[in-house]
Amino acid sequence: MAGLRHVGLGVPDLARATAFYEGIWGLYRVAEDTGVVFLGSVGSAEPYVIRLRQAASQRVDVISFAAKSATAVDALCESLGRAGVPIVREPGVQDSPGGGYGMRFFDLDGRLVEVSSDVRPKPFRALEPGESVPRKLSHVVLNSTDVHATVEWYRTHLAFRLSDWLSDRMAFLRCSEEHHCLAIAQRTKVSLNHVSFEMRGLDEYLRGTGRLVRHGHKPLWGPGRHSAGDNTFSYFADPHGNVVEYTTELERIVDEDAWQPRIWPATPDWYDQWGTAGGLEDLFALDSVTQQDSGLWVPAPI
């Protein structure tokens, strides 16, 4: 894999979700069709980073990763087929914004995964100092009922590399120099943990956090700084209870040969190096009422 492209969410109230991501979170509408909205970041060449679709119930529609070439997509399809991985869509031309060549399949837990190449980039620009909107999609974290099995699946079939563990409860996986674009957390239900967006820098990250607070969105946890990945964090809930994060300064791993995965303690001083984030009560309370993803083993209609 060459990176994270976008996350598609099914939402019961498309207008309300779009108003949040477009009006407060800092993305902008790049395309739309009946019942679906594509949202991009001004700082990213990806055609879109979030896709919202009107759905009967809340679900993760798709998680999309980049491949280096169409040849790599074809080779992946052949490899997954030999391994018995359920293929949902054979490699072919895509009709979403940016087009490209891609395929879809289910992961070990029943999530729909897309891998694509040759996607046309959209116009983008460097963010200005103080501009507190997401620069790009940073990473996605998924909940699994068997974290070790799911981690091994992504390492075996999609060639993700292990960066770190948080105790034995969360693994951080990479496919580039960035510490992680995917993480898997041990939970009692298969569901979305959170989607993270990278800000320009520390000042912009704090300004964005403040904008959400001023609009009445209390952080579920944060602001603070993690140990695994060394990145900052402020977690919020979108209108449907999906957890989204502002982050910046994610650690980079520039020497693959020398890197040894670490195991970080699951204690408050390692959860948050700064000690500013407060307790995890609000985040845990939301997690406890989160239902198992209703989209498992069910292909998204688009």
Side-chain angles (χ1 to χ4, degrees):
M1 297 301 100
L4 178 64
R5 288 201 188 281
H6 64 262
V7 175
L9 301 174
V11 294
D13 190 335
L14 179 61
R16 190 177 176 209
T18 302
F20 174 82
Y21 285 101
E22 185 178 32
I24 301 172
W25 195 250
L27 304 178
Y28 74 100
R29 195 176 317 202
V30 297
E32 59 184 310
D33 203 342
T34 304
V36 62
V37 175
F38 301 88
L39 298 161
S41 165
V42 295
S44 172
E46 285 294 333
Y48 58 99
V49 295
I50 289 290
R51 190 193 80 180
L52 301 173
R53 181 185 61 86
Q54 181 70 46
S57 60
Q58 180 179 335
R59 58 168 285 176
V60 176
D61 272 352
V62 64
I63 299 169
S64 179
F65 297 100
K68 293 181 179 179
S69 67
T71 300
V73 174
D74 288 336
L76 176 64
C77 185
E78 182 179 350
S79 173
L80 293 177
R82 289 197 307 268
V85 173
I87 306 298
V88 175
R89 183 184 296 172
E90 296 285 338
V93 176
Q94 302 186 140
D95 59 2
S96 53
Y101 183 79
M103 65 169 295
R104 289 181 174 180
F105 50 91
F106 287 125
D107 76 359
L108 180 68
D109 293 325
R111 301 180 190 84
L112 187 63
V113 178
E114 177 183 282
V115 174
S116 63
S117 69
D118 302 301
V119 174
R120 296 187 305 276
K122 71 166 179 59
F124 70 102
R125 60 174 175 80
L127 297 181
E128 299 291 334
E131 194 172 6
S132 57
V133 298
R135 188 175 74 84
K136 69 169 189 172
L137 191 60
S138 173
H139 58 269
V140 61
V141 179
L142 307 174
N143 293 332
S144 174
T145 55
D146 189 338
V147 63
H148 291 276
T150 303
V151 167
E152 190 59 31
W153 190 94
Y154 275 92
R155 295 181 70 183
T156 298
H157 296 296
L158 300 187
F160 278 91
R161 303 183 295 279
L162 178 65
S163 295
D164 282 327
W165 278 94
L166 177 61
S167 181
D168 62 346
R169 293 158 45 186
M170 182 180 291
F172 300 85
L173 304 172
R174 69 186 186 280
C175 60
S176 68
E177 288 186 354
E178 295 183 336
H179 181 271
H180 61 281
C181 70
L182 174 67
I184 312 295
Q186 179 71 45
R187 292 291 190 273
T188 59
K189 291 163 282 195
V190 175
S191 59
L192 178 67
N193 186 288
H194 71 269
V195 182
S196 180
F197 299 79
E198 181 184 289
M199 309 298 275
R200 180 183 182 274
L202 189 59
D203 180 72
E204 291 78 14
Y205 148 78
L206 287 171
R207 287 174 182 266
T209 299
R211 180 178 64 253
L212 268 290
V213 171
R214 290 189 184 106
H215 279 84
H217 295 269
K218 178 185 175 183
L220 299 171
W221 190 34
R225 184 183 284 277
H226 290 306
S227 293
D230 198 35
N231 54 307
T232 63
F233 64 88
S234 292
Y235 294 96
F236 297 90
D238 79 0
H240 293 94
N242 296 305
V243 178
V244 287
E245 177 191 34
Y246 280 153
T247 192
T248 195
E249 299 184 350
L250 182 66
E251 185 175 8
R252 301 186 74 86
I253 297 172
V254 295
D255 190 338
E256 282 287 338
D257 294 333
W259 185 261
Q260 293 294 322
R262 302 160 295 189
I263 301 175
W264 295 95
T267 55
D269 51 331
W270 292 109
Y271 277 141
D272 174 24
Q273 297 183 62
W274 289 345
T276 57
L280 286 160
E281 293 83 4
D282 290 339
L283 193 61
F284 285 160
L286 183 59
D287 181 69
S288 69
V289 299
T290 298
Q291 299 301 309
Q292 179 158 295
D293 196 324
S294 65
L296 300 179
W297 304 110
V298 180
I302 57 173

